[in-house]
């Protein structure tokens, strides 16, 4: 599939044409995974394009870069403005936004500090990540043979490029075996998350999601869904989830910027509940999409 983007990219403070936003092959990040990034969505609304929780995404990118001692040579406000400018320049009504901070060209060697910290922001038109039918029918997933990294190896709270090598292994394995997505367990064998999504379980009308101690990226969509579900009157708890709980859940769903709120139909070919989207997942989806259409407001704390 050709890459869907073509418009200007914000690259180190300037707009450059899509085809000219290039780096040297000796760029540090290419060799050593030294990058942090965000995935953000901008939705079409009656007031024009609106970015979903921009401040939280920019904050997380600064958190990720702090963990990796990769000082971003711009303020959060400059990055927010650059993101909004890039959307305007690309004249898109809705889009996916990819800001990337990386160690550039300077020296090859594990120590990154001789390499400049560079920033790029690209945007492009992007549909439904797990396919247009997934939001209604749900996806078929497996439990990966790969585990997430232990907390003292690759910090999960940083959305770092290198972390996605693990995600790629899980995703490729799932696709090779005929599944659409993988659920990955943490190093102790508890459920962690999908290759690029958080996971929620519904059992006996209670909602459970794995806590941040289980090697998850604490998703911004996850946070929104926790707040929303509580507003809808559901009880939500963060606690460890043993693998077999997946097989006996009434409903399961993924959350993420790309996946939004996607039901899970089967796990390891075992139907979740009735093997289709359940009523609580549907209620949460509806409330979530009402926010995106600006028909409902969400509290940003909780
Ligand atoms: N976990 C991982 C590993 C991810 O890549 C993502 C996507 N950023 C998520 C969870 C969901 O996070 P968010 O809701 O902030 O997109």
């Amino acid at each position: 599939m050709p890459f869907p983007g073509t418009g200007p990219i914000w690259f180190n403070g300037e707009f450059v044409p899509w085809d000219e936003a290039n780096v040297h092959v000796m760029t540090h990040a290419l060799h050593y995974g030294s990058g942090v990034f965000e995935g953000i969505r901008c939705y079409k609304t009656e007031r024009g394009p609106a970015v979903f929780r921009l401040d939280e995404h920019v904050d997380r990118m600064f958190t990720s870069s702090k963990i990796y001692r990769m000082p971003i040579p711009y303020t959060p406000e400059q990055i927010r403005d650059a993101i909004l400018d890039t959307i305007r320049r690309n004249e898109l009504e809705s889009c996916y936004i990819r800001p990337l901070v990386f160690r550039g060209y300077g020296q090859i060697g594990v120590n990154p500090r001789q390499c400049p910290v560079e920033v790029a922001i690209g945007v492009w038109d992007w549909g439904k990540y797990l396919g247009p039918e997934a939001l209604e029918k749900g996806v078929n997933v497996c439990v990966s043979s790969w585990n997430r990294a232990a907390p003292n190896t690759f910090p999960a709270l940083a959305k770092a490029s290198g972390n996605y090598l693990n995600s790629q292994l899980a995703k490729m394995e799932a696709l090779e075996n005929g599944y659409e997505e993988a659920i990955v367990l943490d190093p102790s064998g508890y459920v962690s998350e999908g290759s690029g999504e958080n996971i929620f379980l519904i059992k006996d009308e209670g909602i459970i999601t794995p806590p941040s101690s289980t090697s998850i990226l604490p998703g911004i969509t996850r946070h929104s869904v926790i707040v929303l579900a509580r507003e809808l009157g559901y009880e939500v708890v963060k606690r460890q989830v043993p693998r077999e709980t997946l097989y006996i859940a009434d409903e399961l769903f993924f959350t993420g910027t790309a996946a939004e709120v996607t039901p899970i139909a089967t796990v390891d070919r075992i139907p979740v509940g009735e093997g289709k989207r359940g009523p609580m997942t549907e209620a949460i989806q509806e409330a979530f999409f009402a926010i995106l259409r600006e028909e409902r407001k969400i509290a940003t704390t909780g």
Side-chain angles (χ1 to χ4, degrees):
M1 195 178 80
F3 204 90
T6 51
I9 290 184
W10 189 94
F11 197 12
N12 296 328
E14 282 169 23
F15 283 103
V16 297
W18 183 273
D19 291 336
E20 290 169 29
N22 301 318
V23 295
H24 195 277
V25 290
M26 291 301 157
T27 292
H28 195 270
L30 277 179
H31 298 250
Y32 301 110
S34 39
V36 300
F37 65 99
E38 272 304 315
I40 314 173
R41 269 192 198 259
C42 170
Y43 289 94
K44 181 179 173 183
T45 74
E46 281 180 3
R47 292 185 298 136
V51 181
F52 186 65
R53 304 194 68 179
L54 177 60
D55 290 355
E56 287 83 353
H57 281 283
V58 171
D59 284 355
R60 188 169 67 186
M61 194 163 81
F62 276 79
T63 304
S64 301
S65 69
K66 186 171 187 188
I67 292 170
Y68 279 101
R69 302 165 197 263
M70 200 185 289
I72 300 178
Y74 303 95
T75 63
E77 196 164 24
Q78 285 172 317
I79 296 292
R80 278 196 293 273
D81 287 347
I83 289 172
L84 297 175
D85 277 353
T86 311
I87 299 167
R88 284 190 204 104
R89 286 274 191 130
N90 279 264
E91 296 176 5
L92 292 170
E93 286 185 323
S94 65
C95 58
Y96 184 79
I97 308 158
R98 170 53 56 81
L100 170 69
V101 179
F102 63 99
R103 288 283 185 180
Y105 175 84
Q107 198 179 64
I108 283 297
V110 172
N111 176 13
R113 282 183 153 153
Q114 302 303 319
C115 302
V117 177
E118 306 205 38
V119 184
I121 304 166
V123 302
W124 61 90
D125 193 8
W126 213 33
K128 301 296 172 198
Y129 176 58
L130 293 167
E133 290 194 337
L135 292 177
E136 212 181 302
K137 296 208 169 136
V139 287
N140 300 305
V141 309
C142 59
V143 175
S144 183
S145 68
W146 296 99
N147 284 3
R148 274 270 176 261
N152 58 347
T153 60
F154 296 92
L157 297 197
K159 189 170 169 63
S161 303
N163 287 0
Y164 287 83
L165 287 169
N166 175 266
S167 291
Q168 289 174 52
L169 289 171
K171 183 80 181 186
M172 289 190 291
E173 180 189 55
L175 296 175
E176 290 288 332
N177 291 324
Y179 300 96
E180 283 133 278
E181 188 49 286
I183 296 170
V184 190
L185 307 181
D186 78 0
S188 313
Y190 289 99
V191 173
S192 176
E193 58 181 354
S195 73
E197 307 88 7
N198 293 114
I199 190 167
F200 285 76
L201 286 88
I202 299 171
K203 181 75 181 158
D204 302 330
E205 301 192 354
I207 303 182
I208 309 161
T209 194
S212 52
S213 53
T214 50
S215 299
I216 64 163
L217 178 76
I220 290 162
T221 321
R222 171 181 179 268
H223 176 261
S224 302
V225 162
I226 292 171
V227 174
L228 260 184
R230 287 182 178 148
E231 276 182 19
L232 292 174
Y234 300 132
E235 193 192 328
V236 186
V237 291
K238 295 173 197 166
R239 72 165 155 76
Q240 284 179 320
V241 175
R243 171 178 180 162
E244 65 275 23
T245 323
L246 297 170
Y247 304 130
I248 54 170
D250 299 328
E251 302 180 32
L252 287 179
F253 62 88
F254 282 132
T255 63
T257 298
E260 298 171 313
V261 178
T262 297
I264 298 172
T266 63
V267 179
D268 295 333
R269 308 276 178 227
I270 301 176
V272 180
E274 291 176 19
K276 56 179 194 194
R277 175 175 65 185
M280 283 171 67
T281 306
E282 194 172 347
I284 291 167
Q285 267 185 333
E286 269 174 24
F288 181 73
F289 288 121
I291 285 175
L292 303 181
R293 290 190 303 266
E294 297 207 313
E295 291 163 14
R296 185 188 178 108
K297 292 240 172 296
I298 188 164
T300 47
T301 54

